[in-house]
Amino acid sequence: MEKFKLLFINYHEVIFGFLLLSLGFDFITKTVNFYGFEIVKFSKFLKAIFLVYSLLFIIINFKYVYNKLRVPIVIIIVLSVVFLLKNNFSENYMLEYIRYIFPLLAFPLMYFAYKNKGEKLLVKLYTLFKWLIFINFLLVFFGLLFEIKIFDTYYAQRFGVNGFLLSQGFAPFFYLSATILFWEFNDKKMLLLVFILCILSGVKGVYFGEFLLLSMLVFWSKKLSRGFKHVIIVILSLVFFCLLLFLYSKPIFREVYDSDGILSAIFSYRNDYTVSLYKQITPDNYSLLIGATNLQKLRLELQIIDVILFFGLIGLICYTVFLSWLYRSLVKTDVSKAFFISVVVLSTLSGNLLYIPLSLMLMFLVLIALKKQGN
């Protein structure tokens, strides 16, 4: 019982264990998706266990959570009430709700674990990402060398190699987290590896996110002269532009451009899906205040529209308040400001920050670590 109790309250190992197991199980899921065989989806069981663990933490430490983290708790309650008001408890709606609420429920645990303990979170994250990026670099290298499809980013015939990462939606936030950690430690070799992986990923969101983050880091750097900053930003702009040209020169994008126009090519049909879904909305399947009540499609991968689609205007207000509170509470340096802005801006175009639990959880951990370092 004593060993079990120690394991239960060893929050740091539980959090890092969850991150590693999630990435590992996601790779297993990727293998299943590529080769089409059936296997138990361990990632679902892992998320269920961690969700229960996070809920138990909130219940056991409710006084602390209520005093220190009132805003996130109120947001969780309001979003849960909105979900209940939908009166739609189908599997589709339940899974959407859990996806959105999962990282919010995990936040008190992560905040408490690293806000109140003398753990060197920044060093731990740096070490973890150093190993993850190095391993992924090897996988990408062998994937290119031997044409191993499982390491590709996309299932279709489209350029991109992503290593063990399951989703192209998660990839930008993974690489942004790695970039900001290596920048903070001034690790030029690891930064170079990250840039190579970003280029080979073939993901537009990765290109945009890295360009935005690096531009802000350079612009706000106190170590660089004004003239040198201008030169670097011009170089970053040229690289970003050339990478986009390279992607859009591929047959799959040329076909989309020729048949449906430049906006469809840039947004990967998100604009078309938005217009199509808008035409399906009626008072019987959607409420402006609480969002979808009987729609089949609940996500367009445009963050603001996705939130309004599922949680309505109430949800949009809740997430705006939460992100504002998060910024005031954790963003204390130019480095953390650049990271926060790049992640949030990117999410408005990709819609995967609030929807993919691991994306938002990585953001939480990096911001908490940077705040401790700033202090």
Side-chain angles (χ1 to χ4, degrees):
M1 285 298 294
E2 190 65 27
K3 288 183 179 180
F4 178 78
K5 183 180 178 182
L6 288 173
L7 176 64
F8 185 82
I9 63 173
N10 202 338
Y11 305 124
H12 317 108
E13 277 70 15
V14 170
I15 292 169
F16 270 74
F18 172 75
L19 291 178
L20 286 171
L21 287 174
S22 293
L23 292 172
F25 289 154
D26 281 351
F27 181 62
I28 293 174
T29 301
K30 185 178 184 180
T31 306
V32 171
N33 293 342
F34 263 91
Y35 294 111
F37 57 82
E38 293 294 328
I39 193 173
V40 176
K41 292 189 175 180
F42 297 104
S43 58
K44 288 187 176 181
F45 291 105
L46 176 67
K47 288 180 175 66
I49 292 170
F50 192 76
L51 185 62
V52 171
Y53 184 85
S54 300
L55 279 169
L56 286 174
F57 170 83
I58 292 174
I59 294 169
I60 294 170
N61 300 277
F62 184 76
K63 185 176 181 181
Y64 171 86
V65 173
Y66 179 78
N67 289 331
K68 300 291 185 180
L69 303 170
R70 201 169 302 173
V71 170
I73 293 301
V74 170
I75 298 299
I76 291 170
I77 293 171
V78 173
L79 291 179
S80 299
V81 171
V82 167
F83 174 71
L84 292 174
L85 290 173
K86 293 174 182 293
N87 197 30
N88 185 334
F89 305 106
S90 62
E91 182 180 359
N92 190 24
Y93 275 67
M94 283 292 297
L95 289 175
E96 291 292 304
Y97 165 71
I98 292 171
R99 273 187 172 274
Y100 279 107
I101 215 73
F102 186 103
L104 296 180
L105 286 171
F107 178 74
L109 169 65
M110 292 185 287
Y111 185 88
F112 176 86
Y114 296 106
K115 177 76 174 177
N116 295 279
K117 304 293 181 181
E119 292 290 318
K120 296 180 178 178
L121 175 59
L122 194 65
V123 175
K124 284 190 171 184
L125 281 176
Y126 166 73
T127 305
L128 174 65
F129 270 89
K130 203 170 181 179
W131 278 103
L132 290 175
I133 292 298
F134 180 72
I135 292 170
N136 211 36
F137 182 81
L138 291 178
L139 296 179
V140 167
F141 174 77
F142 286 114
L144 285 170
L145 188 62
F146 299 108
E147 297 184 351
I148 304 173
K149 296 298 295 179
I150 194 175
F151 298 134
D152 286 357
T153 304
Y154 303 97
Y155 306 123
Q157 296 300 316
R158 179 174 166 181
F159 171 77
V161 188
N162 225 8
F164 62 70
L165 296 179
L166 167 65
S167 165
Q168 69 268 21
F170 172 65
F173 304 105
F174 177 82
Y175 287 128
L176 284 173
S177 299
T179 301
I180 205 72
L181 290 167
F182 299 146
W183 178 280
E184 186 72 5
F185 281 88
N186 196 29
D187 192 331
K188 298 180 179 63
K189 292 179 181 178
M190 292 307 300
L191 279 172
L192 180 60
L193 286 187
V194 173
F195 298 156
I196 293 172
L197 287 173
C198 287
I199 292 171
L200 294 175
S201 72
V203 180
K204 290 176 291 182
V206 171
Y207 296 167
F208 175 75
E210 289 292 317
F211 165 70
L212 184 60
L213 175 61
L214 291 170
S215 296
M216 286 189 289
L217 288 173
V218 169
F219 183 76
W220 284 326
S221 175
K222 296 179 175 62
K223 299 177 181 178
L224 304 175
S225 65
R226 182 179 298 180
F228 192 53
K229 289 179 182 179
H230 291 159
V231 171
I232 296 178
I233 290 176
V234 168
I235 293 172
L236 288 173
S237 302
L238 287 172
V239 171
F240 175 59
F241 183 70
C242 289
L243 287 173
L244 288 183
L245 282 180
F246 169 73
L247 279 186
Y248 290 126
S249 68
K250 297 297 178 181
I252 189 170
F253 284 106
R254 287 207 307 270
E255 290 173 11
V256 174
Y257 173 75
D258 292 338
S259 61
D260 299 295
I262 189 169
L263 283 179
S264 296
I266 291 174
F267 290 103
S268 299
Y269 284 113
R270 290 183 179 93
N271 56 317
D272 301 278
Y273 296 148
T274 302
V275 173
S276 175
L277 183 62
Y278 178 75
K279 293 177 180 177
Q280 300 174 29
I281 290 176
T282 68
D284 293 328
N285 59 28
Y286 183 82
S287 164
L288 187 60
L289 283 179
I290 65 172
T293 55
N294 200 27
L295 283 169
Q296 292 302 310
K297 192 171 183 63
L298 300 170
R299 181 170 175 251
L300 296 164
E301 293 191 69
L302 294 167
Q303 195 70 88
I304 295 174
I305 295 177
D306 286 352
V307 170
I308 295 176
L309 186 59
F310 192 69
F311 285 115
L313 287 179
I314 294 176
L316 182 62
I317 292 169
C318 284
Y319 276 111
T320 302
V321 170
F322 175 71
L323 289 174
S324 300
W325 176 86
L326 197 70
Y327 182 86
R328 293 194 306 271
S329 301
L330 298 181
V331 178
K332 302 298 180 183
T333 64
D334 288 339
V335 172
S336 58
K337 186 191 298 184
F339 177 71
F340 181 89
I341 293 173
S342 61
V343 166
V344 171
V345 171
L346 173 64
S347 73
T348 61
L349 302 174
S350 68
N352 291 306
L353 175 65
L354 305 179
Y355 188 78
I356 300 178
L358 213 55
S359 299
L360 194 55
M361 290 173 69
L362 276 183
M363 178 187 179
F364 291 156
L365 287 175
V366 171
L367 287 176
I368 292 169
L370 292 173
K371 182 179 184 296
K372 288 172 70 69
Q373 181 75 357
N375 292 340

